[in-house]
Every structure is written in structure tokens, then in C-alpha cells.
């Protein structure tokens, strides 16, 4: 086997030995500790904040309750041309937009003192009525295409879906409710902020060091060149750390006033209220078919929660319109304003609850078709929305390979027809997933030494997904050096301009730039072609101790200068999934077995087989791990996870790891992962597409379909609770 296929995570040893340093692990001399006091009303106005008792706590250095707008501007909302996860900047102004919004920042010599002091802070408010669910009076529903009239967010429409649905002999009409959920990464949102002269240095685990750099500079009115953001390793992001967090501005001000570095680690409950989350959603999907199971028309309508102060756009139909070759499709996305912090991207934000994959399963039963066969028969040969070819699409191979590995042929189609030896109802379900193939501009800098070492700095962040390993392997394979000898610099604004790493575009963004830099390096050293080289000798022969090259790449069809300008400004600059001449998505097929215990109705998932098409697999070990993680999360999201809102007081009730149930080892059993591993021929020179999010898309639907096969009942409100199953059986 090629060594690439067994290469381990390059930072594995540092991770498990604790040598890896995350953002707030940095403890400079004279470090002061900060903590937030937060609002206890659901909405309204602050009349007064009483900080007197807090000021008396020994070692408290500073209490900030109000910052002038001239001193700290709005971060702007990232999806509206700004930098922040929301436009709202706490501590500026007297508005309380939601329960849990910070109202005071305390800085003390110790974390204990800061924590004690915030507990002593009280406030008086003028409270107002608020809405926290999609159905609360006061929740305001907007049609997205009208509220944010930009082409990217327009409703997807192809053909005449309403007429075609009305004429379809087989009609399925389903509604699925997705709860609010939170990312709950291991690493809490945290920073160490320090001034070195007039340069602000921010250590923070983030997916978007470029937005922090440019955003906090804009907020403070300083030159972005005077801000350095270091995020070499992130302890899990999943979208929660994808933008400028509104604590950084106040911390920078506190650090300047005190002349000391300041550290803030949000408490776990604060991460439920002071960062983005997966919004609650309601999807209705009508799917029409003929009696042979040929899919004819689909109408997909979505209501998605947003905040009162920002419109977090919904993009459900970009994928649902492309899962099958359905010529007549109509999407309609609406946003529901509620009094929460602005929700945002959380792994496969819109796609993971796949209404289409639940509806297709219902059509399979209605027409007597096998769930795998109906999916294969309705595969899209070209993009049904634009008519363009797909750059690559191997979802049929994912289905065929997955069915083989899973043993699908042994399935008996009738619901409740399969039983385990212990009497449990057994269900087998399948679903496919797709995720847009986006890419962003990137700059890679390569430095090769006469000692044979290679350093690469590139646009990208390591959130645990394995990007550092994928980059090291690309360089190692190209030059024939040991991956461990490749020094990879990511997430550091000092080394290369940094774009948001999200939307599964990290690998397809960073690797092409590194690939282009490798070509340049070979050119410079006269090492044309490919294959192992004596790098040290070639560098030495060039006459210096190091050779440095730089390369810039953008998405196909993207104009270079404007996109690189946006990259340098820390703004979102993505291309795709529609490119000139082709359309790109990644794909997956999930096969799931569930067992439903007849007395307790507890649902277990003893095995899953997942086969992905992410183009060329850049790093097999970390890619497989990423897919397993997506499946684990799909299981959690379907059977456990739900952020409970408090309609009496606002905010989220179960904002701790004790009360927000994520899967534990006892919940997770066999997960077999396989890859088609066919390079995409058009998206970039390396042949890679995205993987992180498609891994999770469809897991939930596959579980739901398996539960139907086991029990004969459909559950349309997620997560599926034991009491729902008890009531239905
Ligand atoms: Mo991801 S949810 O796009 O950070």
C-alpha cells in the first residue's frame, strides 16, 4: 500500500501528549483574566448596571459596562459584508436583544476573582415581550428572496413544479421539524489578547483569523497591518468559530487600558448564547412521482429561524434541487425573526436534515420500489437546475458500493419484517447526501532549505479536520520527503492572508495553492516534472540556503484581483458550486441499521456504512475520521441533540454538556467508511472536492428511514424521542 494511505495525522502525537497549544493556552507574563456578566431578560433595555460589589472583590482591576460607539464600532454581520457572527456589539448601547447577551466585562488578576465579581453584578431593565420559537407571537416571517434580494439567495426554480406535482400520479407531502442545536466543540470560545507596542496580538481558536484581523481593526479604527491573529490549531469549530466574536473588541480595549494581556474563556453556557448555533427549521417537501417511482416534481419550502438584528440566509434548496434528476423543482425559503443571538453555520447547516431523502423513501414504499434501486434510477446525469454537466458525480457508485458492503440484498422490504435474536425490531435505511463544491482564493508560500526541510504557509485553518496533514502529504508526495519534515503554517495572519475556512472548502482551497507553489519551486530549482527529488542538494546548487516561492489560486472563473483583495480584507470570497461550464458537488451514501427495543422503544444504531465521493482523497486517515465524526454527529443530531428554548425567560435551557446530550461511546458502534477516490477533473489541479459536511448529510434521513422500516412509523420532529416511539407503537 502507498505510504500516503497509511500516513497518520501529522499533529497526532502533539495532540495526544498535550504538547499542542490552543488559542487561550498561551499564558504571557502579567496575564489578567476576564469574565462576562450577562443579561437575565429575554429582550429590552438596560436601565442600570450595579457593579459596586464586583469592584470590591480583591484583585479586580477593571469593570466595563459601557463602551462608546466611537471607541468600538459594530463588527458587521459576516453574511452582510461584515466580520462578526452577528452585527450586534454587546456593551455598546443599552439594548438587550436576547437573554445571555453580555452586559459587563470584569478583568481581575485571577479567574476566580473575575468569576466571583461577575456573580455580584446586577442590573435593572425595562423588559419587553420576546419571541424565541418559530411560532411565538411576535416572530416575524420574511420571504428571503424579497428580504435579501441577491441572486445567490434567490429561490431555486426549474420548470413548472406546481403543475407537474399536481399531475403526478404518486404524491408525497411531508413536513420535518429540526430543532435549534449547538456545536459544542471541546475547545471553549476563548482568547488571549495583548498589545505589543501598537500591535494587537490575538490568540484565538478560530476558523477565520482574517476576519478577526480586519474586523477588530475596523472596530477599533486601526490599521489591519497592526493586528496579528494566531490560530494554528482549533479544538473543534463546526461553524461556531467562523467569524469575529464580539468579545475580542472589548478585550482589546481592556488590555489597552490595563497595559496587560487579557485572557477570556467563555463558560459553556455562554457559548450557547454568545456564538452562532443551528437555527430551528421547518421544512415541507412535496414530491411527485409516476407509478414506476420516477421522480417528476418537487416543491421544497423552508422556514428558518434568524435573529431580530440579522438575516442568516437559508440555502436548503441549492442541494435538494440537485439530489436527483428532477426537472420541475420549486424552492421557497423564509426567515423567521426571533429574539436570539444570530444563528449561523453548523456542520451541513441546511442539508443534514434531508427532507428530500425522507420523501424519496416514502415514494419508494408508495411505488413498491427498493430504496436503493429508486435512487439509482433517478440519478441526475446533468445538473437539473442549470443544465450544466457535473464536474464529477459518483453518487451511484457510492450507493452500489455501500449496498454491497452493508449486505443490503438481505433486506426484506416490509416494515417490521426483520427481528434481532433478542426480539428487537430491526430496520435498514439508506439515504444519500450532497454538498456544494465551493472554493476560496488562497495564497501559499513555500520555503525549501539546503538542509532538506520544507516550510509551507497557506490560507487555511486546522480545526481537527486534518488540513495540516493533507497539506503535508501533498508536499511530501510531490517532493519525496518525509511528511513529518514538512512544517505547515495555517491560521496565522503573519504567514499568509487568511480566509474563512468553512463550507467544506478548506482542502479544495489550500491544496491547489500549495500545488501551484510546488510547481513554482520545481521551476526555480530546475526540477521539472514530478517525482522524488534531492531537495537539499537542489537548493544548495541554487546558491543559497533557502529558496522561497509564492503562488495564488482562485476558483475557476473567479477574477483574481478582486477576489485576492477580498481575501486580504478578511471578507468571504467563495466561488461555486456553479462554475463556468460545470457544477460541483460532493456526494455520500449512508446505510444504517437500527434496532428498536420492543419494551423500552430505545433506538440503537449498531452499524453504519458510508461511502463518499470527495474527489481525490487527500489524506485517507483523517478523511475516514472526518466521515466517522459526521456519522456520529448525525446519530446525535437525530436521536439526542436539541437546544431547548425557554419561552418564559428567553435563552437556551440546557446549555451545559450535562444537559445537552451528545453521543457517548456506548451510543456508537460500527461505522465503516469507504471512498470512491476518483479525482475531480475540473475543480482544481489536485482533483480534490470537499468532505467535512457531506459526511453528515443524509445520516439523519437514513436513520429515520431505518426506523420506519423497523417500526412502520415516521417521526417528523427531530430528535426522535423514546416517548414518541412509545406513543406510536
Ligand atoms: Mo462550517 S458549518 O461551514 O464552519
Amino acid at each position: 500500500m502507498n505510504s500516503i494511505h497509511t500516513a497518520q495525522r501529522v499533529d497526532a502525537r502533539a495532540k495526544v501528549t498535550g504538547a499542542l497549544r490552543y488559542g487561550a493556552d498561551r499564558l504571557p507574563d502579567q496575564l489578567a483574566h476576564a469574565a462576562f456578566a450577562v443579561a437575565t431578560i429575554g429582550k429590552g433595555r438596560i436601565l442600570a448596571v450595579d457593579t459596586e460589589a464586583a469592584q470590591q472583590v480583591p484583585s479586580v482591576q477593571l469593570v466595563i459596562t459601557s463602551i462608546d460607539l466611537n471607541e468600538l464600532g459594530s463588527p458587521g454581520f459576516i453574511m452582510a459584508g461584515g466580520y462578526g457572527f452577528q452585527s450586534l456589539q454587546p456593551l455598546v448601547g443599552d439594548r438587550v436583544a436576547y437573554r445571555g447577551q453580555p452586559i459587563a466585562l470584569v478583568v481581575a488578576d485571577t479567574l476566580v476573582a473575575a468569576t466571583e465579581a461577575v456573580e455580584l453584578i446586577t442590573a435593572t431593565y425595562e423588559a419587553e415581550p420576546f419571541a424565541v420559537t418559530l411560532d411565538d407571537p411576535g416572530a416575524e416571517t420574511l420571504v428571503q428572496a424579497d428580504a435579501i434580494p441577491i441572486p445567490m439567495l434567490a429561490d431555486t426554480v426549474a420548470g413548472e413544479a406546481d403543475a407537474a406535482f399536481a399531475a403526478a400520479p404518486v404524491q408525497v407531502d411531508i413536513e420535518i421539524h429540526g430543532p435549534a442545536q449547538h456545536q459544542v466543540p471541546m475547545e471553549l470560545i476563548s482568547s488571549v489578547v495583548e498589545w505589543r507596542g501598537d500591535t494587537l496580538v490575538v490568540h484565538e481558536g478560530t476558523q477565520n483569523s482574517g476576519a478577526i484581523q480586519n474586523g477588530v481593526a475596523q472596530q477599533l479604527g486601526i490599521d489591519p497591518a497592526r493586528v496579528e491573529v494566531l490560530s494554528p490549531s482549533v479544538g473543534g469549530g463546526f461553524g461556531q468559530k467562523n467569524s469575529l466574536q464580539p468579545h475580542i473588541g472589548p478585550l482589546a480595549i481592556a488590555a489597552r487600558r490595563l497595559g496587560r494581556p487579557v485572557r477570556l474563556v467563555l463558560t459553556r453556557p455562554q457559548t450557547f448564547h454568545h456564538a452562532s448555533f443551528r437555527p430551528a427549521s421547518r421544512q415541507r417537501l412535496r414530491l411527485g412521482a409516476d407509478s414506476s417511482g420516477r421522480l417528476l416534481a418537487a416543491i421544497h419550502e423552508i422556514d428558518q429561524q434568524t435573529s431580530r438584528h440579522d438575516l442568516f440566509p437559508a440555502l436548503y434548496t441549492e442541494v435538494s434541487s440537485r439530489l436527483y434528476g428532477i426537472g420541475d423543482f420549486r424552492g421557497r425559503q423564509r426567515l423567521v425573526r426571533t429574539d436570539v443571538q444570530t444563528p449561523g453555520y453548523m456542520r451541513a447547516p441546511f442539508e443534514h436534515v434531508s427532507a428530500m431523502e425522507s420523501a424519496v423513501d416514502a415514494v419508494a414504499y408508495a411505488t413498491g420500489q427498493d430504496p436503493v434501486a429508486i435512487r439509482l434510477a433517478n440519478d441526475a446525469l446533468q445538473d437539473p437546475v442549470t443544465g450544466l454537466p457535473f464536474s464529477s458525480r459518483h453518487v451511484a457508485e457510492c450507493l452500489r458500493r455501500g449496498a454491497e458492503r452493508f449486505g443490503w440484498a438481505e433486506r426484506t422490504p416490509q416494515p417490521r419484517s426483520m427481528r434481532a435474536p433478542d426480539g428487537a425490531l430491526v430496520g435498514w435505511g439508506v439515504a444519500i447526501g450532497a454538498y456544494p463544491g465551493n472554493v476560496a482564493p488562497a495564497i501559499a508560500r513555500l520555503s525549501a532549505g539546503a538542509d532538506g526541510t520544507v516550510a509551507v504557509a497557506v490560507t487555511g485553518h486546522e480545526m481537527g479536520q486534518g488540513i495540516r496533514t493533507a497539506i503535508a502529504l501533498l508536499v511530501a508526495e510531490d517532493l519525496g520527503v518525509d511528511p513529518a519534515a514538512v512544517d505547515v503554517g495555517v491560521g496565522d495572519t503573519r504567514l499568509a492572508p487568511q480566509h474563512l475556512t468553512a463550507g467544506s472548502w478548506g482542502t479544495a482551497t489550500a491544496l491547489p495553492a500549495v500545488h501551484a507553489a510546488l510547481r513554482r519551486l520545481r521551476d526555480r530549482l530546475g526540477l521539472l516534472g514530478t517525482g522524488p527529488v534531492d531537495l537539499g542538494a537542489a537548493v544548495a546548487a541554487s546558491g543559497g540556503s533557502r529558496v522561497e516561492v509564492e503562488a495564488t489560486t482562485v476558483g475557476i472563473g473567479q477574477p483574481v484581483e478582486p477576489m485576492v483583495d477580498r481575501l486580504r480584507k478578511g471578507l468571504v470570497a467563495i466561488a461555486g458550486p456553479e462554475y463556468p461550464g460545470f457544477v460541483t458537488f460532493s456526494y455520500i451514501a449512508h446505510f444504517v441499521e437500527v434496532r428498536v427495543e420492543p419494551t423500552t422503544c430505545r433506538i440503537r444504531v449498531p452499524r453504519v456504512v458510508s461511502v463518499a465521493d470527495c474527489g481525490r482523497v487527500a489524506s485517507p486517515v483523517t478523511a475516514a475520521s472526518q466521515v466517522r465524526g459526521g456519522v456520529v454527529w448525525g446519530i446525535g443530531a437525530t436521536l439526542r441533540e436539541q437546544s431547548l428554548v425557554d419561552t418564559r425567560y428567553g435563552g437556551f435551557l440546557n446549555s451545559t454538556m450535562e444537559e445537552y446530550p451528545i453521543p457517548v461511546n456506548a451510543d456508537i458502534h460500527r461505522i465503516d467508511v469507504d471512498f470512491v477516490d476518483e479525482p475531480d477533473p475540473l475543480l482544481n489541479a489536485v482533483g480534490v472536492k470537499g468532505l467535512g459536511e457531506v459526511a453528515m448529510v443524509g445520516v439523519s434521513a437514513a436513520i429515520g428511514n431505518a426506523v420506519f422500516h423497523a417500526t412502520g412509523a415516521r417521526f417528523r420532529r427531530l430528535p426522535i424521542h423514546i416517548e414518541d416511539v412509545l406513543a406510536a407503537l
Side-chain angles (χ1 to χ4, degrees):
M1 194 182 256
N2 188 320
S3 65
I4 292 290
H5 287 87
T6 54
Q8 298 299 309
R9 197 183 279 274
V10 292
D11 43 11
R13 190 182 169 79
K15 275 193 162 193
V16 299
T17 57
L20 208 65
R21 288 282 171 267
Y22 294 90
D25 288 345
R26 212 194 125 72
L27 304 173
D29 284 348
Q30 296 296 309
L31 184 65
H33 297 266
F36 274 131
V38 302
T40 54
I41 58 165
K43 184 181 182 177
R45 205 162 67 82
I46 303 167
L47 298 177
V49 182
D50 183 350
T51 64
E52 212 176 299
Q55 308 264 15
Q56 302 309 315
V57 174
S59 102
V60 164
Q61 302 291 336
L62 188 65
V63 181
I64 297 176
T65 58
S66 176
I67 302 172
D68 195 87
L69 183 61
N70 296 322
E71 200 180 358
L72 188 67
S74 165
F77 176 41
I78 188 163
M79 291 313 291
Y83 296 103
F85 92 81
Q86 60 180 356
S87 59
L88 181 129
Q89 176 60 59
L91 308 185
V92 175
D94 63 356
R95 292 292 310 165
V96 173
Y98 55 89
R99 184 187 182 86
Q101 178 185 319
I103 57 164
L105 180 74
V106 174
V107 186
D109 287 346
T110 67
L111 177 59
V112 172
T115 306
E116 183 185 344
V118 294
E119 303 275 320
L120 298 173
I121 290 176
T122 56
T124 50
Y125 306 93
E126 190 176 276
E128 297 168 16
F130 59 87
V132 286
T133 76
L134 296 177
D135 300 311
D136 281 353
E140 184 197 2
T141 302
L142 309 169
V143 175
Q144 176 168 295
D146 300 335
I148 327 174
I150 62 171
M152 191 187 118
L153 301 177
D155 288 332
T156 307
V157 176
E160 297 288 341
D162 292 276
F165 176 77
V170 177
Q171 298 178 342
V172 164
D173 184 349
I174 65 165
E175 193 168 292
I176 295 193
H177 295 245
Q181 295 177 330
H182 282 73
Q183 293 91 338
V184 202
M186 291 264 285
E187 181 197 27
L188 294 159
I189 291 172
S190 50
S191 327
V192 170
V193 167
E194 58 180 317
W195 289 91
R196 294 187 191 153
D198 60 356
T199 295
L200 177 67
V201 181
V202 178
H203 302 271
E204 161 138 330
T206 177
Q207 303 166 238
N208 201 347
S209 47
I212 294 178
Q213 177 195 17
N214 287 274
V216 80
Q218 179 179 293
Q219 282 192 282
L220 296 171
I222 61 175
D223 181 354
R226 297 261 63 87
V227 182
E228 295 173 352
V229 183
L230 287 71
S231 180
S233 295
V234 186
F238 315 118
Q240 194 184 61
K241 297 170 181 160
N242 70 4
S243 37
L244 171 61
Q245 304 286 348
H247 65 263
I248 296 176
L251 278 197
I253 287 170
R256 192 163 53 194
R257 286 191 197 166
L258 289 174
R260 292 171 65 176
V262 178
R263 179 179 194 254
L264 173 73
V265 180
L266 292 188
T267 64
R268 183 62 71 183
Q270 286 173 356
T271 68
F272 276 73
H273 298 95
H274 197 48
S276 76
F277 63 100
R278 190 193 300 285
S281 66
R282 185 160 51 203
Q283 304 185 53
R284 181 183 184 196
L285 198 127
R286 281 170 282 172
L287 184 59
D290 71 14
S291 57
S292 73
R294 190 163 69 90
L295 304 178
L296 301 173
I299 303 165
H300 191 187
E301 295 169 309
I302 298 99
D303 289 345
Q304 174 183 277
Q305 177 183 27
T306 188
S307 69
R308 197 71 69 174
H309 44 282
D310 295 307
L311 296 175
F312 171 58
L315 275 169
Y316 294 70
T317 58
E318 184 173 66
V319 159
S320 61
S321 58
R322 268 67 177 244
L323 275 179
Y324 295 101
I326 302 173
D328 294 294
F329 183 95
R330 181 171 66 75
R332 194 226 49 206
Q333 301 174 121
R334 297 195 305 189
L335 302 176
V336 184
R337 286 190 196 268
T338 59
D339 299 299
V340 292
Q341 77 270 30
T342 302
Y345 297 92
M346 173 164 143
R347 198 176 195 175
F350 321 109
E351 302 82 3
H352 112 83
V353 178
S354 180
M356 180 64 82
E357 282 302 89
S358 300
V360 168
D361 203 64
V363 170
Y365 276 95
T367 57
Q369 298 295 308
D370 172 76
V372 173
I374 194 173
R375 286 172 166 81
L376 289 170
N378 284 285
D379 194 9
L381 303 178
Q382 62 183 31
D383 177 27
V385 176
T386 60
L388 292 168
F390 292 110
S391 58
S392 60
R393 180 178 170 109
H394 301 290
V395 67
E397 177 63 15
C398 294
L399 278 165
R400 278 191 285 265
R401 222 191 268 195
E404 178 70 34
R405 274 183 93 116
F406 189 83
W408 185 259
E410 303 299 311
R411 179 179 183 268
T412 54
Q414 203 56 34
R416 305 179 65 93
S417 64
M418 292 171 70
R419 292 251 177 191
D422 67 355
L425 293 159
V426 174
W428 289 3
V430 64
I432 61 170
Y435 194 84
N438 295 113
V439 300
I443 293 176
R445 299 190 171 124
L446 255 180
S447 166
D451 58 358
T453 59
V454 189
V456 53
V458 65
T459 307
H461 297 82
E462 173 63 82
M463 305 94 87
Q465 82 276 40
I467 200 168
R468 182 172 274 124
T469 303
I471 294 165
L473 290 180
L474 184 73
V475 174
E477 192 176 33
D478 192 289
L479 299 173
V481 299
D482 180 358
V486 182
D487 178 45
V488 180
V490 288
D492 189 330
T493 60
R494 299 169 309 172
L495 303 178
Q498 292 297 326
H499 185 278
L500 165 62
T501 303
S504 299
W505 58 69
T507 304
T509 294
L511 262 50
V514 174
H515 175 82
L518 283 164
R519 306 275 69 70
R520 254 190 207 164
L521 179 71
R522 280 178 173 269
D523 273 2
R524 278 278 294 282
L525 295 175
L527 304 167
L528 298 182
T530 54
V533 294
D534 187 342
L535 188 65
V539 172
S542 77
S545 64
R546 295 204 82 80
V547 170
E548 296 185 4
V549 295
E550 181 179 303
T552 301
T553 47
V554 298
I556 304 278
Q558 274 191 316
V560 180
E561 282 313 317
M563 287 303 118
V564 171
D565 186 54
R566 288 185 66 86
L567 162 63
R568 290 186 190 282
K569 289 186 173 135
L571 295 167
V572 178
I574 59 169
E578 294 173 21
Y579 297 90
F582 64 89
V583 173
T584 303
F585 287 83
S586 293
Y587 302 94
I588 200 160
H590 299 287
F591 293 79
V592 170
E593 174 173 326
V594 300
R595 295 194 179 194
V596 183
E597 292 172 5
T599 46
T600 63
C601 286
R602 184 171 68 158
I603 300 169
R604 311 281 287 162
V605 184
R607 68 192 181 104
V608 179
V609 171
S610 302
V611 184
D613 162 22
C614 59
R616 186 192 140 187
V617 178
S619 164
V621 167
T622 57
S625 169
Q626 214 176 10
V627 175
R628 276 194 293 275
V631 172
V632 170
W633 205 344
I635 294 170
T638 307
L639 301 176
R640 299 277 189 281
E641 293 182 42
Q642 177 176 21
S643 301
L644 298 165
V645 294
D646 193 328
T647 52
R648 301 164 304 168
Y649 305 113
F652 294 100
L653 277 167
N654 54 336
S655 57
T656 63
M657 287 186 88
E658 293 81 4
E659 297 190 340
Y660 183 89
I662 61 175
V664 297
N665 281 347
D667 296 312
I668 302 303
H669 302 272
R670 263 183 65 188
I671 302 171
D672 290 338
V673 177
D674 196 8
F675 295 96
V676 175
D677 200 7
E678 281 285 334
D680 185 288
L682 299 177
L683 187 64
N684 54 64
V686 189
V688 290
K689 302 193 282 188
L691 178 62
E693 292 172 86
V694 79
M696 188 173 170
V697 181
V699 176
S700 185
I703 293 170
N705 296 342
V707 169
F708 175 74
H709 183 230
T711 65
R714 298 268 182 200
F715 300 94
R716 301 299 192 194
R717 196 171 285 276
L718 296 173
I720 305 172
H721 289 298
I722 286 177
E723 56 267 34
D724 301 332
V725 184
L726 274 167
L729 295 193

